[in-house]
Amino acid sequence: MNYSVYFEQNRELHLEELKQWLSIPSISALSEHKEDVNRAASWLADKLTLAGLENVEIIPTQGHPLVYAEHLHAPGKPTLLIYGHYDVQPVDPLHLWQTPPFEPAIRDNKIYARGATDDKGQVFMHIKAVEAILRQEGQLPVNIKFFIEGEEEVSSPNLLDYLSKGADRLTADAVLISDTALIEKGKPAICTGLRGLCSLEVAVHTANTDLHSGSFGGGVPNALHAMVSLLASLHDNQGAVSVAGFYDDVEPLSPAMKEEFAKQGVDEETLRTGLGLETLYGEDDYSFVERVGARPTLELNGVYGGFQGEGTKTVIPKEAHAKITCRLVANQNPQDILDKIERHLREHIQPGARLEIIQGEKANAFNIDPSHPMLQSAADAFERVYGTRAVFTKDGGSIPIVETFSRVLAAPVVLMGFGLPDENLHAPNEHFHLENFDKGLLTIIEYLKAL
């Protein structure tokens, strides 16, 4: 079957359908858009039905609905669970959009709208690929399950609850997710690792009131001094984390993985100048892509306290605050890391200061061996369409549901994305390059047939 001709003949129809979906403001974080989210779920369910999927169901939750569909008529063949999300981020600041975020527009072979690349555009490709095979051949080469949620942008609270109760329905030989990106134009990638996450808030308290620095300076503890000293103790001069045991469960990078990182071809000098930095920074003996993709971090996200207005106020502040997050890798346990950080902070607090610590969110890292046949087949599919084999990468970000799928379903997760890093996901003027829309459809078909 010549799928290139099929998709070319149906391209305008497919793009018009995608525009319909992108026009629905399914912003999961804002309660005033609850009906829009429901409308987006209904639109999705209708398209899955029209594509030829069966047992299509909108599953209510305490929040936004899940959408399920299946086509299980390939006995003895693998079953693939396709996951994605139909909810989108808020659009502020609105004045920075060149065209309204929910009035999709095509410019320079890119489709502009909120959700274009994250994740409606990429989910839509899977629907159209399955639909194309069914219309051209009448039978899928593998068994397919679709499971699309409406709360990914708010951390998937009800999906996690559903998985804890009904994972049997989602049993599959692999999970396929398109919510990531190529390295750059024409250079596909398959992500084999996502960092985990943990967070905490720290407060330092001293006196019961702010004090005059002339009357009390030098004789009482200063909450800001104590906080700055405490935070400085968390790293050495090269950026390595100084918390005892922080790296205990971090696996060394294999030679094969270091080679995959090198294939990304990141020019650190171009990166440095583009960011306006005098130098990049981080652990010795690791490249930039290794530091941000395969090494854990401890970052200060906010530090505040004392007088911050215009001019000078000679005050000794009674309290100071900090927000900290860690990106975690491999076998690091988020709770274990939080406990080690809390122990370090309590051991290093200055005399006369009291410490208050609130532990926050926790998410495990995801890691998969790139030699897995399901990933190798995906790399082959990319090569047949793009003319170059996908590079195996590790992403510095966190998508907690990926690790959950891997663990709960005991199935490999194939992160086969078709976005580009510069497509402004979560920002004004989000867009999706239609070159990757076109090639992505063919790549998905190649992958399904390869399985």
Side-chain angles (χ1 to χ4, degrees):
M1 297 295 177
N2 191 331
Y3 284 98
S4 294
V5 172
Y6 173 88
F7 286 124
E8 184 177 342
Q9 292 174 343
N10 288 278
R11 190 173 193 263
E12 292 306 313
L13 172 62
H14 290 167
L15 289 178
E16 285 304 312
E17 290 179 356
L18 177 56
K19 284 180 179 180
Q20 293 173 13
W21 203 20
L22 293 172
S23 298
I24 303 173
S26 50
I27 304 172
S28 54
L30 302 178
S31 59
E32 61 263 35
H33 286 284
K34 182 174 178 58
E35 287 308 311
D36 294 316
V37 178
N38 290 336
R39 195 154 52 92
S42 296
W43 187 97
L44 172 61
D46 289 343
K47 289 302 174 186
L48 288 166
T49 301
L50 290 171
L53 278 299
E54 301 170 344
N55 297 319
V56 179
E57 182 181 355
I58 297 175
I59 304 168
T61 73
Q62 291 185 359
H64 301 307
L66 304 160
V67 179
Y68 176 85
E70 64 186 24
H71 195 278
L72 308 178
H73 298 288
K77 304 297 183 182
T79 298
L80 195 63
L81 175 68
I82 298 172
Y83 162 82
H85 65 94
Y86 64 86
D87 64 319
V88 300
Q89 282 277 325
V91 297
D92 299 339
L94 190 59
H95 70 278
L96 294 181
W97 287 80
Q98 292 182 29
T99 49
F102 297 109
E103 295 179 17
I106 295 177
R107 303 190 297 273
D108 301 323
N109 204 34
K110 306 168 188 174
I111 186 165
Y112 284 81
R114 174 59 88 226
T117 189
D118 181 24
D119 185 34
K120 288 179 179 176
Q122 299 201 55
V123 169
F124 183 76
M125 289 194 302
H126 288 280
I127 300 171
K128 291 297 146 183
V130 168
E131 178 183 87
I133 296 174
L134 287 173
R135 291 189 177 179
Q136 295 284 92
E137 302 183 40
Q139 176 62 47
L140 296 178
V142 294
N143 300 293
I144 292 289
K145 298 177 180 178
F146 277 87
F147 191 59
I148 315 299
E149 70 159 317
E151 295 184 321
E152 193 274 344
E153 300 293 5
V154 290
S155 301
S156 308
N158 290 293
L159 174 54
L160 294 173
D161 181 62
Y162 181 87
L163 284 174
S164 69
K165 299 173 182 176
D168 288 349
R169 186 181 194 184
L170 305 179
T171 300
D173 295 290
V175 181
L176 177 59
I177 300 176
S178 295
D179 196 10
T180 51
L182 284 69
I183 294 174
E184 59 187 39
K185 177 181 169 65
K187 196 170 182 179
I190 296 171
C191 179
T192 65
L194 293 163
R195 292 195 288 191
L197 182 72
C198 65
S199 68
L200 65 158
E201 297 187 26
V202 181
V204 170
H205 302 276
T206 51
N208 57 11
T209 184
D210 289 352
L211 297 169
H212 189 289
S213 67
S215 301
F216 292 91
V220 297
N222 182 313
L224 277 176
H225 291 183
M227 179 64 85
V228 170
S229 173
L230 186 63
L231 298 179
S233 73
L234 292 170
H235 297 87
D236 67 16
N237 290 334
Q238 287 300 315
V241 178
S242 300
V243 174
F246 186 83
Y247 295 102
D248 283 355
D249 297 317
V250 178
E251 297 178 354
L253 276 177
S254 68
M257 200 65 237
K258 289 181 77 71
E259 184 178 340
E260 290 296 324
F261 276 119
K263 287 179 184 177
Q264 295 185 37
V266 173
D267 186 331
E268 294 194 0
E269 181 62 16
T270 300
L271 177 68
R272 179 193 68 78
T273 56
L275 294 173
L277 294 170
E278 292 186 3
T279 182
L280 298 178
Y281 177 76
E283 293 179 276
D284 281 339
D285 302 322
Y286 294 96
S287 67
F288 172 82
V289 289
E290 290 170 348
R291 290 170 187 160
V292 302
R295 298 293 295 169
T297 66
L298 189 158
E299 299 288 351
L300 308 180
N301 306 123
V303 181
Y304 51 100
F307 177 65
Q308 299 173 54
E310 184 179 355
T312 300
K313 182 181 181 183
T314 54
V315 64
I316 298 173
K318 68 170 186 172
E319 62 184 63
H321 301 267
K323 294 178 181 289
I324 299 172
T325 55
C326 297
R327 299 287 181 170
L328 309 177
V329 301
N331 298 317
Q332 286 183 299
N333 180 286
Q335 187 60 60
D336 176 62
I337 294 298
L338 285 173
D339 292 342
K340 287 173 177 174
I341 296 170
E342 180 164 344
R343 188 179 308 118
H344 175 98
L345 294 172
R346 296 197 183 282
E347 290 173 353
H348 288 77
I349 189 66
Q350 284 186 359
R354 303 185 309 280
L355 197 58
E356 178 185 359
I357 298 173
I358 301 174
Q359 297 187 4
E361 57 192 320
K362 299 182 283 288
N364 292 319
F366 164 73
N367 198 51
I368 188 171
D369 186 346
S371 68
H372 194 289
M374 289 289 187
L375 275 69
Q376 291 295 318
S377 292
D380 293 340
F382 270 121
E383 185 172 18
R384 285 192 287 272
V385 176
Y386 282 81
T388 183
R389 202 162 191 272
V391 173
F392 294 104
T393 65
K394 291 187 182 295
D395 196 316
S398 304
I399 309 177
I401 197 62
V402 173
E403 185 276 336
T404 304
F405 273 131
S406 175
R407 174 170 41 84
V408 173
L409 301 181
V413 179
V414 183
L415 292 165
M416 193 179 190
F418 298 96
L420 283 174
D422 62 355
E423 289 179 336
N424 288 15
L425 64 164
H426 292 207
N429 302 309
E430 179 181 346
H431 58 278
F432 187 31
H433 285 65
L434 293 181
E435 175 187 348
N436 291 319
F437 176 81
D438 297 330
K439 289 184 175 180
L441 288 165
L442 298 174
T443 304
I444 292 167
I445 286 180
E446 288 286 346
Y447 185 51
L448 297 183
K449 289 180 173 292
L451 293 185

